[in-house]
Amino acid sequence: MQERLQDESYKSGKRVLLNGNQAVAEAVKIAEPDVIAAYPITPQTPVVEKLAEFVAEGVLNSEFVNVESEYSALSVVYGAALTGARVFTATSSHGLAYMYEMCWWVAGSRVPLVMALPTRSIGAPWNIHSDHSDVMILKDVGWIISMAENAQECFDLTLIGFPISEELNIPYSVSYDAFMVSHTAEVVEVRDVELPKRKQAYKILPNSEFALNAVTVNDARHKARKTLMKDLENSRRKIEKIGRCFLGEDFSLAEKYRVEDADYVIVTYGGWSGDFKDVVDEMRDEGVKIGLLKLRFLRPLPEEELKEISGDVLVVDRSALYKFGGMGGEIKRIIPEAKNVIAALGGYEIGYSEIKALVRRFVSGKIGEVEWYP
Amino acid sequence: MLDPLISHPKVGSAGKTGEWRVFKPIVDHELCVLCLECSEYCPENVIEVRDDKIWIDYDYCKGCLICKNVCKMKAIKAEREFY
Ligand code: SF4
Ligand code: SF4
């Protein structure tokens, strides 16, 4: 049955059974990058396998560069992007750590590009499962950081990543949980859209008579970083405008799920947002005024939505940055009384009943300022 | 947005880099046969011929001594400038 659904719908170009990785690849296919370079790492590998297939079959006209490391992958697409090419790469975890220097170079150079980042724990100890440790090391480099909840959002957030990145001249990443999203098949609407042609602030071509990123003195580096941080902070309106143009009027940086009149609000992001929504529904049925704010973007941070929250807040993170979870510490800057739970690192199983128990403890006021689960 | 990233190459945009030098290359014009090997290899592009003699722009010569190394005539010697 599912197979039939997939086959038929594939032909019509509408609703297809895809996992998160394949959904990303389908969106990249629409964007038609000039150059794709990536090095395989679990759980990202199927994205580039799929794209390599498209290129081999001739349905995607991209230059596919096989590289020997993630450092090279981002370097290759960086160089290509500087000449005005639309580019794409993907990595996870240790791969991101290995290309980390280049992450700063592309952001600092204001190069538009899109990178898929299915989230995976970073060793030690060795672990290939989901938590958000990797995306947290990219969070403050100067990239736009989006987080998909499911395969549909993987598709959508990848698709709009190209025009957003090219409008703002800031690199863009789309993250989604290892396996739970990256390898779980769902019905995805493959939108029938065309993206605008690539644009960017500058290109370097053989006849260009200038140098990029020469050794700077005085305030050049200070100015460059300041401008990037300000542009990222103020990128919200442009992201929303482009998102609404391709994905519909509901699109925003954060999804408000039953938060109107809520006395309690869970703030979280990523794959388990769906479980939290189910818990919200169940508890609403019991008469508890509870809602969820799902962060679709970590950068720029959806501050307006966070400031609107009136009830008690619990931030649930899947990473730890010293004392707080990945977003807990900075959300406490906006909502000082917010509670924070750091949960389920390294793919630790947390299901509906555990999540419900956690939310119940929060509603009954039993969660302290910061807690670990387990 | 891009001003701090973009630069237009010109002589001495990073100041008088000759001040970084510890060893100063000195050409012995008696030994030099003007083969220009040193000029080919100088990473700072500061060696040229003036009045039929090798001339080094000491304002920007960083003293790497590559010129001394590649000179088959052993016409370049190094003089320590800083201790
Ligand atoms: S390499 Fe030596 S011989 Fe040749 S031009 Fe230079 S100094 Fe003269
Ligand atoms: S020492 Fe180095 S920089 Fe100076 S002239 Fe020789 S090769 Fe050029």
Side-chain angles (χ1 to χ4, degrees):
Chain A
M1 169 65 200
Q2 279 186 339
E3 212 170 290
R4 236 183 51 222
L5 173 72
Q6 185 174 22
D7 284 344
E8 284 170 17
S9 50
Y10 205 84
K11 276 170 204 147
S12 74
K14 291 279 181 270
R15 291 169 71 76
V16 192
L17 194 63
L18 298 173
N19 64 34
N21 281 332
Q22 292 164 338
V24 167
E26 287 290 340
V28 172
K29 188 170 143 213
I30 292 172
E32 278 205 292
D34 301 291
V35 177
I36 299 168
Y39 189 82
I41 183 169
T42 301
Q44 155 267 34
T45 310
V47 179
V48 270
E49 279 176 348
K50 192 82 208 156
L51 289 169
E53 248 172 66
F54 287 153
V55 172
E57 288 165 4
V59 293
L60 175 59
N61 184 22
S62 301
E63 186 82 25
F64 193 97
V65 186
N66 286 304
V67 285
E68 81 293 356
S69 76
E70 287 83 0
Y71 193 104
S72 301
L74 194 52
S75 303
V76 163
V77 296
Y78 174 39
L82 287 175
T83 71
R86 181 172 276 171
V87 298
F88 174 80
T89 187
T91 193
S92 290
S93 182
H94 295 253
L96 179 72
Y98 195 24
M99 65 163 63
Y100 195 54
E101 180 188 349
M102 291 314 297
C103 295
W104 284 79
W105 279 96
V106 297
S109 306
R110 304 301 300 264
V111 167
L113 58 83
V114 175
M115 176 165 84
L117 182 69
T119 61
R120 163 181 153 181
S121 172
I122 300 183
W126 198 250
N127 185 295
I128 60 165
H129 294 281
S130 188
D131 64 40
H132 301 151
S133 304
D134 52 4
V135 63
M136 289 303 153
I137 69 165
L138 188 63
K139 176 171 68 89
D140 293 313
V141 171
W143 287 51
I144 298 163
I145 310 282
S146 65
M147 292 287 300
E149 177 190 336
N150 48 40
Q152 183 68 54
E153 279 199 341
C154 285
F155 177 86
D156 290 346
L157 293 174
T158 304
L159 185 75
I160 61 171
F162 291 92
I164 287 172
S165 175
E166 290 161 15
E167 176 66 32
L168 291 157
N169 293 286
I170 300 176
Y172 177 106
S173 82
V174 51
S175 281
Y176 44 101
D177 287 76
F179 303 111
M180 290 304 172
V181 180
S182 71
H183 286 62
T184 304
E186 300 173 74
V187 176
V188 174
E189 184 193 344
V190 175
R191 295 170 195 269
D192 186 16
V193 292
E194 254 180 58
L195 291 185
K197 282 225 170 325
R198 174 163 177 106
K199 61 172 191 167
Q200 64 191 74
Y202 67 98
K203 291 177 194 176
I204 302 182
L205 298 167
N207 59 356
S208 303
E209 289 178 354
F210 63 88
L212 177 74
N213 293 327
V215 177
T216 55
V217 285
N218 300 327
D219 64 351
R221 154 74 187 163
H222 182 93
K223 262 193 193 156
R225 185 76 181 156
K226 180 177 167 186
T227 319
L228 172 58
M229 291 295 110
K230 292 284 170 196
D231 287 353
L232 187 53
E233 188 186 326
N234 298 322
S235 60
R236 167 177 192 124
R237 296 284 163 252
K238 283 181 178 166
I239 294 176
E240 280 175 344
K241 191 166 164 234
I242 293 169
R244 284 173 190 159
C245 167
F246 289 98
L247 309 176
E249 279 307 306
D250 297 343
F251 177 82
S252 66
L253 296 196
E255 180 188 345
K256 296 178 198 169
Y257 189 78
R258 307 187 80 168
V259 288
E260 340 64 49
D261 82 336
D263 296 328
Y264 306 96
V265 177
I266 314 286
V267 178
T268 193
Y269 45 95
W272 62 22
S273 305
D275 296 302
F276 279 95
K277 285 178 194 168
D278 289 347
V279 170
V280 164
D281 288 343
E282 188 180 329
M283 292 182 74
R284 279 271 177 182
D285 289 346
E286 292 166 11
V288 183
K289 286 186 176 172
I290 186 165
L292 174 129
L293 184 72
K294 183 189 82 178
L295 307 180
R296 206 171 262 135
F297 285 77
L298 306 183
R299 290 287 180 267
L301 184 67
E303 296 203 19
E304 291 173 21
E305 287 84 347
L306 286 162
K307 282 177 187 152
E308 277 170 19
I309 297 176
S310 53
D312 292 354
V313 172
L314 173 68
V315 183
V316 188
D317 280 308
R318 204 166 192 178
S319 62
L321 300 180
Y322 182 46
K323 192 177 162 185
F324 297 105
M327 299 305 291
E330 63 178 284
I331 290 174
K332 280 177 76 71
R333 174 175 57 76
I334 299 167
I335 308 165
E337 317 75 39
K339 308 277 190 272
N340 188 198
V341 165
I342 301 164
L345 303 190
Y348 181 89
E349 292 245 357
I350 178 168
Y352 182 78
S353 52
E354 289 86 5
I355 287 177
K356 194 168 74 185
L358 190 72
V359 174
R360 279 196 198 286
R361 288 212 317 124
F362 160 58
V363 167
S364 55
K366 287 190 188 131
I367 286 192
E369 191 188 24
V370 189
E371 280 193 18
W372 284 73
Y373 177 90
Chain B
M1 166 174 69
L2 298 168
D3 294 355
L5 306 181
I6 302 289
S7 55
H8 297 271
K10 67 178 198 308
V11 174
S13 56
K16 293 248 162 60
T17 46
E19 287 169 9
W20 304 3
R21 193 171 56 229
V22 176
F23 293 99
K24 184 178 187 178
I26 313 268
V27 180
D28 182 336
H29 300 291
E30 297 294 316
L31 294 175
C32 172
V33 294
L34 289 177
C35 69
L36 298 186
E37 191 82 343
C38 54
S39 173
E40 284 287 320
Y41 278 88
C42 170
E44 300 303 323
N45 198 23
V46 296
I47 305 181
E48 43 186 276
V49 180
R50 288 196 180 178
D51 299 331
D52 295 331
K53 279 184 196 156
I54 286 292
W55 178 85
I56 296 175
D57 187 346
Y58 291 115
D59 280 350
Y60 304 109
C61 159
K62 289 181 188 161
C64 66
L65 300 185
I66 287 171
C67 53
K68 172 178 181 286
N69 258 296
V70 298
C71 176
K72 301 265 190 310
M73 301 306 292
K74 298 200 186 312
I76 300 180
K77 65 179 192 334
E79 214 170 65
R80 192 166 183 131
E81 290 184 294
F82 295 99
Y83 292 89

